[in-house]
Amino acid sequence: MRFFIPFLVITFAAFSSCLSDEEYSSSPTDVLTFSVDMVDLDTLISGELAHTRTLLVYNTNKSALRIASVSLLNGEHSIFRANIDGTALHQGVASDFEVRSGDSLRIFVNALPPSADSDTPIGYTDKLLFQLESGIIQELPLEIHGLDVIKLEDCNLHEDFTLTAKRPYQIMDSLVVHEGAHLNIEAGAQLLFHPEATLIVYGSVNAQGSVTDNIIFRGDRLGNMFTNQSYDHIPGQWGGIRICAQSFGNIFNYVDIHSGDFGIRCDSSQCDIEKLRVENSVIHNMSGNLLTLINGKAFIGNSQLTNAGGNCLHILGGDVEIVHTTIGQFYPFHAGRGVALSFSNRDGVTSHPLHRLFVVNSIITGYASDEIFGSNQGENAVFNYTFTHCLLNTPAYESPEIVNCIWDTDTNPVSRADNFAPPFDLDRLYYTFYLDEKSMAVGTADPNYSSRYYPFDRLGTPRSNLPSMGCYELSTFE
């Protein structure tokens, strides 16, 4: 051991000598290379720190480079912050960096957009300036948008109240609509929920969007989790919407509810008064069930219910009508996902008579070979259902309750995920459920129900004389 120490010292000294003797370029043609052309930190809620973006600065030259300084163009007044290989810019500047040939520096950038009291996002820009020893200055543009919101904390509504589209609302915990109160939500309104925050309804909700201005329910984490992956495409970003037992007459028309723990859950009540009406809407990408209906009266029409860690549509008893709806179970995060449609007349020891489940002109499919689970718990229990003119992903069988339906099997020209076009983008978790021209759902819906209920699809496209099943006509994509 005593002979090894001098060897280490000698080796280290020689290595240090090599580093100190390395030649640094002063040529104006030797410059840095950046891993990105600009740093875009997306749109963030004003007053909240942006997610840190990481990039690399390379030296691809034959000689080492000295960087005399790295600075922000706006200096100490910049809303952007940067860190160079562990060294933070102090008052917008840091000095003396070296990059050897073939090596790189890691740069960390974030920002804190200020409140501007604006109803529209405000853009902010700056530049990182890299001044080389040669005198060359290289620029890296920085950009972010700040979004001012109306923050709601511990919000309990005991009287009628309207949420407008003027500025997004950030719900920090729970927004509670108490019994006797009515919450009206205007077309184009945006509700951004903090993690685990929920909308709890004892009174009623009237959310009336439009084909051009949907009402948005989503999480409040804006921007990207990492490059090309938006937080908005990740489930579990917020809680969900709970419709309590005493609540009736809730309307969700042209709404987009996505990426929460659950979509809408209706507690058990009674079946002679409509509890929930969902039309022209999307409920998508929940870690639990998308839509849970327990012993109540509900109508779902011209809507898209897609991708759930639990079931897309979970029905326990009641009176439910479903028209021109696309129900697709293509949840990508784990194989233990539920099914597209589950309906039963019992939950454990509790009986929930299924007085009526009527499904027409709809698509029910998913990755599995059987995406429909019906459970009749009792020989004399009430269990009434009808499917007519639907595309059904379940093993084929004959029944008087199945009328003019098509089985979504591998023998079809296309089946399951291939019913939809363009193909799902699994890298960005981006899904569209427009119909492929080869889908058996094209042109096979009952035109009488189409003209009676929905002569236009969810996006406002007129339905043809031979309409398609689901909420989208083929021409929506074409």
Side-chain angles (χ1 to χ4, degrees):
M1 188 70 177
R2 60 188 178 188
F3 299 106
F4 187 57
I5 293 174
F7 174 74
L8 287 177
V9 171
I10 293 170
T11 303
F12 179 74
F15 181 65
S16 300
S17 176
C18 289
L19 293 181
S20 61
D21 291 342
E22 184 172 354
E23 182 180 346
Y24 289 87
S25 173
S26 59
S27 170
T29 60
D30 289 343
V31 295
L32 300 167
T33 301
F34 301 99
S35 59
V36 294
D37 295 327
M38 71 171 297
V39 179
D40 185 355
L41 294 176
D42 307 303
T43 299
L44 276 298
I45 292 175
S46 299
E48 295 189 1
L49 189 65
H51 181 72
T52 299
R53 188 68 53 84
T54 304
L55 60 134
L56 292 173
V57 179
Y58 301 100
N59 178 12
T60 60
N61 305 287
K62 294 182 179 180
S63 300
L65 291 176
R66 281 197 175 101
I67 305 173
S69 68
V70 180
S71 61
L72 289 161
L73 180 63
N74 293 331
E76 61 182 317
H77 302 294
S78 178
I79 69 165
F80 292 88
R81 301 291 181 268
N83 184 295
I84 316 297
D85 255 9
T87 301
L89 271 63
H90 179 62
Q91 296 185 334
V93 65
S95 304
D96 297 327
F97 297 95
E98 300 176 352
V99 195
R100 287 174 168 72
S101 175
D103 206 349
S104 63
L105 294 176
R106 192 175 297 271
I107 314 295
F108 304 92
V109 179
N110 62 19
L112 184 66
S115 175
D117 194 25
S118 171
D119 294 334
T120 58
I122 300 295
Y124 301 91
T125 61
D126 205 338
K127 292 179 180 179
L128 271 176
L129 306 178
F130 295 79
Q131 182 171 352
L132 305 183
E133 193 173 55
S134 63
I136 295 294
I137 297 177
Q138 294 183 253
E139 300 179 351
L140 181 65
L142 311 176
E143 182 175 296
I144 193 172
H145 285 78
L147 177 68
D148 285 328
V149 299
I150 300 171
K151 187 172 292 189
L152 300 178
E153 294 186 78
D154 192 24
C155 188
N156 289 271
L157 303 179
H158 295 275
E159 298 178 350
D160 294 358
F161 192 81
T162 298
L163 299 178
T164 71
K166 183 179 180 181
R167 192 177 293 185
Y169 296 86
Q170 185 183 27
I171 291 84
M172 300 303 297
D173 34 47
S174 290
L175 173 58
V176 182
V177 184
H178 287 272
E179 193 168 2
H182 304 281
L183 174 62
N184 299 300
I185 308 177
E186 292 183 352
Q190 298 182 56
L191 282 70
L192 313 179
F193 290 81
H194 208 56
E196 300 184 6
T198 57
L199 171 60
I200 302 173
V201 185
Y202 297 97
S204 65
V205 171
N206 183 22
Q208 291 283 359
S210 69
V211 68
T212 55
D213 289 300
N214 280 203
I215 296 168
I216 306 298
F217 295 77
R218 55 157 293 175
D220 68 351
R221 299 183 76 176
L222 308 183
N224 289 342
M225 176 182 288
F226 42 83
T227 304
N228 295 325
Q229 185 53 72
S230 170
Y231 278 112
D232 203 31
H233 295 168
I234 306 298
Q237 296 296 305
W238 59 289
I241 301 170
R242 180 187 170 194
I243 310 296
C244 300
Q246 58 268 60
S247 175
F248 296 93
N250 296 282
I251 298 173
F252 292 84
N253 187 26
Y254 287 109
V255 303
D256 183 341
I257 306 168
H258 61 268
S259 299
D261 295 330
F262 60 95
I264 301 177
R265 176 187 170 89
C266 290
D267 291 347
S268 178
S269 52
Q270 59 192 72
C271 299
D272 56 343
I273 303 175
E274 187 171 274
K275 188 175 189 68
L276 177 68
R277 177 169 288 257
V278 177
E279 296 185 277
N280 307 301
S281 296
V282 172
I283 308 177
H284 175 73
N285 191 36
M286 303 291 172
S287 54
N289 293 340
L290 296 178
L291 178 55
T292 300
L293 305 172
I294 305 176
N295 197 46
K297 186 171 185 177
F299 181 92
I300 301 101
N302 224 24
S303 293
Q304 174 191 317
L305 310 179
T306 47
N307 293 15
N311 300 319
C312 292
L313 178 55
H314 186 71
I315 299 172
L316 293 171
D319 182 342
V320 181
E321 186 172 358
I322 301 169
V323 182
H324 267 300
T325 291
T326 299
I327 306 175
Q329 178 55 301
F330 300 98
Y331 190 74
F333 294 101
H334 59 78
R337 58 185 172 265
V339 295
L341 171 62
S342 172
F343 60 100
S344 180
N345 54 10
R346 181 174 291 275
D347 182 17
V349 298
T350 305
S351 176
H352 296 292
L354 185 63
H355 298 287
R356 184 178 73 124
L357 170 60
F358 181 75
V359 188
V360 61
N361 288 359
S362 295
I363 298 170
I364 306 174
T365 189
Y367 281 132
S369 59
D370 189 356
E371 289 288 352
I372 302 175
F373 179 75
S375 176
N376 182 4
Q377 301 290 326
E379 184 176 344
N380 298 317
V382 178
F383 190 67
N384 299 317
Y385 66 89
T386 300
F387 294 86
T388 178
H389 292 86
C390 293
L391 180 65
L392 304 177
N393 182 357
T394 193
Y397 68 100
E398 292 186 6
S399 169
E401 288 81 17
I402 309 296
V403 181
N404 293 321
C405 289
I406 300 170
W407 307 106
D408 190 24
T409 68
D410 294 335
T411 60
N412 296 343
V414 298
S415 64
R416 300 180 182 125
D418 292 333
N419 282 297
F420 308 106
F424 302 148
D425 185 341
L426 299 180
D427 292 330
R428 293 191 303 138
L429 301 176
Y430 184 75
Y431 295 78
T432 54
F433 289 88
Y434 309 140
L435 289 172
D436 185 274
E437 61 182 4
K438 295 181 182 180
S439 172
M440 299 293 286
V442 174
T444 48
D446 185 333
N448 295 318
Y449 281 98
S450 299
S451 59
R452 177 184 170 188
Y453 284 90
Y454 298 109
F456 298 88
D457 78 354
R458 198 189 77 79
L459 297 181
T461 302
R463 294 196 183 273
S464 66
N465 293 330
L466 294 175
S468 299
M469 299 171 178
C471 61
Y472 301 110
E473 278 293 300
L474 177 63
S475 56
T476 295
F477 175 58
E478 293 181 325

